[in-house]
Amino acid sequence: MRPPMKLLDGKWLAAQVQRRVKSEAAARLAHVGRAPGLAVILVGDNPASRAYVANKQKIAAHCGFLTFDAKLPADASFAQVQEAIEKYNADARVDGILLQLPLPKHLQANALLDLIDPVKDADGLHPLNQGLLARGEGQLRPCTPLGVMKLIDLAFSVTEPQGEFDIDQLPQADLAGKKAVVIGRSILVGKPVSALLLERNATVLMTHSKTKDMAAVAREADVLVAAVGVPRLVKADWVKPGAVVIDVGINRLPGGELVGDVDFQQVSEVAGALTPVPGGVGPMTVTMLIYNTLRAYITSQAITSQARPLPNRGVFEETR
Ligand code: NAP
């Protein structure tokens, strides 16, 4: 009989990271007298983006951060968004800046992301941070890929997702000798996930819409990450028995149901560990934004604080 599948509960894992971020922020506030600050820029009134932004601010506030926001109309000009970014770049209370994507079509997202001060780039999407990631360096990595890696750590650990758990005790999975297949090659998810998997010594194959015989390629994977945007694309016969499967996709069906890129029902019969949708990667993405903001704050404190900086510990110790 096969061992039971491990359900990778992203809500639970996110709560453990948030508790750690909250305690670290409180310790540093007591030490230097300033809380970390997150600024969010929202352009337009896309309901999903509005809900995401509200959730990010709620979690930031829960962790003891100051939050700032700029809400701009859907027809805001490039110059108006630029002005909001530059205001937060110059504000010493702000450690992390998030420009909520997608932007209205008339605005060039990349040109605006390029204007964010790279040391405040909480989403890790500035080209400098993407370049540092490619070099295996840098502090601020994109949030969804960071969350994916934490879920992979959970999959390979003996930790069961229940009760309170000290996230500093979660070992980093060593993926040496493991094959990882990433479906999707976006700048937001597929490419940075591949870089992080490579950093952990996995043998990584990055695939996309032009890949031939995707099912056979995916079946080779010990770790399969799906970041596609096609509902329930990954079926049971795409998955090697016992594989770790991370479903990044968030797709709304015509009836309103939210599903991933993985056929959860089928794949749960085969996989060794699997993330649900909702409740898997999504909560981790939001949480890693707060984590990145704290990392940016720690870096800025090390530079500007009169007080001797607190040492970095546990999950804040290095590029994790
Ligand atoms: P994206 O920019 O549209 O990229 C999708 C990728 O999938 C592309 O590289 C595309 O290939 C590839 N692809 C499309 N159809 C395919 C197929 N049939 N077989 C193999 N590859 C295929 O999307 P994204 O921003 O990476 O997002 C992917 C999904 O993750 C979406 O559902 C999104 O909503 C979700 N997402 C979730 C979170 C979260 O927090 N959970 C965060 C970000 C994104 P080509 O490059 O050849 O076109």
Side-chain angles (χ1 to χ4, degrees):
M1 219 175 68
R2 76 179 188 108
M5 189 203 73
K6 187 168 182 175
L7 184 69
L8 301 172
D9 182 345
K11 264 169 120 171
W12 174 85
L13 190 59
Q16 310 316 306
V17 177
Q18 285 168 26
R19 212 182 38 258
R20 180 71 180 87
V21 168
K22 187 175 180 176
S23 73
E24 192 68 25
R28 290 176 187 271
L29 170 64
H31 192 66
V32 297
R34 181 177 81 78
L38 172 68
V40 179
I41 302 169
L42 176 65
V43 186
D45 47 16
N46 176 323
S49 293
R50 268 212 318 263
Y52 287 142
V53 161
N55 194 28
K56 286 163 183 173
Q57 289 181 308
K58 191 176 109 194
I59 293 171
H62 164 76
C63 291
F65 290 24
L66 293 176
T67 61
F68 305 84
D69 63 29
K71 292 201 171 75
L72 301 175
D75 61 355
S77 65
F78 187 95
Q80 281 174 298
V81 186
Q82 176 172 9
E83 192 185 331
I85 293 171
E86 285 172 353
K87 180 179 82 174
Y88 291 133
N89 280 346
D91 190 333
R93 298 167 303 166
V94 172
D95 301 285
I97 301 172
L98 166 76
L99 177 62
Q100 181 65 39
L101 302 176
L103 292 172
K105 288 212 164 41
H106 67 282
L107 294 170
Q108 262 195 307
N110 280 349
L112 286 163
L113 289 170
D114 292 359
L115 298 173
I116 295 175
D117 183 341
V119 301
K120 297 189 178 190
D121 173 32
D123 241 353
L125 296 179
H126 188 281
L128 179 73
N129 287 319
Q130 296 248 338
L132 288 170
L133 171 63
R135 277 188 4 185
E137 296 170 10
Q139 294 268 325
L140 300 175
R141 273 93 187 274
C143 301
T144 302
L146 272 184
V148 166
M149 293 313 293
K150 282 264 172 276
L151 286 158
I152 292 173
D153 291 342
L154 177 62
F156 281 95
S157 77
V158 293
T159 306
E160 286 301 325
Q162 56 199 15
E164 280 201 0
F165 175 73
D166 177 0
I167 197 72
D168 286 347
Q169 303 306 318
L170 184 66
Q172 287 196 323
D174 177 9
L175 302 178
K178 302 262 189 283
K179 281 189 190 162
V181 172
V182 179
I183 315 179
R185 55 175 162 181
S186 70
I187 292 291
L188 195 62
V189 192
K191 281 180 184 158
V193 161
S194 301
L196 293 178
L197 287 163
L198 197 59
E199 223 170 63
R200 297 284 188 86
N201 300 316
T203 302
V204 184
L205 195 62
M206 206 191 297
T207 67
H208 44 77
S209 67
K210 309 287 185 293
T211 300
K212 294 242 159 45
D213 200 355
M214 197 53 241
V217 172
R219 236 177 357 251
E220 291 281 303
D222 300 299
V223 176
L224 180 63
V225 179
V228 192
V230 177
R232 297 180 178 139
L233 177 75
V234 177
K235 303 292 183 194
D237 65 349
W238 288 42
V239 176
K240 179 174 169 177
V244 171
V245 181
I246 308 291
D247 187 355
V248 180
I250 301 180
N251 310 290
R252 179 124 2 230
L253 298 183
E257 192 189 352
L258 214 56
V259 300
D261 293 340
V262 175
D263 188 323
F264 184 89
Q265 216 175 355
Q266 280 197 14
V267 170
S268 59
E269 300 290 325
V270 184
L274 173 62
T275 55
V277 175
V281 175
M284 286 305 291
T285 295
V286 182
T287 297
M288 297 324 276
L289 175 79
I290 312 303
Y291 168 90
N292 268 349
T293 301
L294 187 60
R295 289 192 74 106
Y297 162 88
I298 290 172
T299 306
S300 90
Q301 285 304 305
I303 297 164
T304 59
S305 172
Q306 299 298 320
R308 213 162 130 244
L310 288 178
N312 293 346
R313 294 165 298 220
V315 285
F316 299 102
E317 225 164 313
E318 3 102 32
T319 41
R320 310 172 41 131

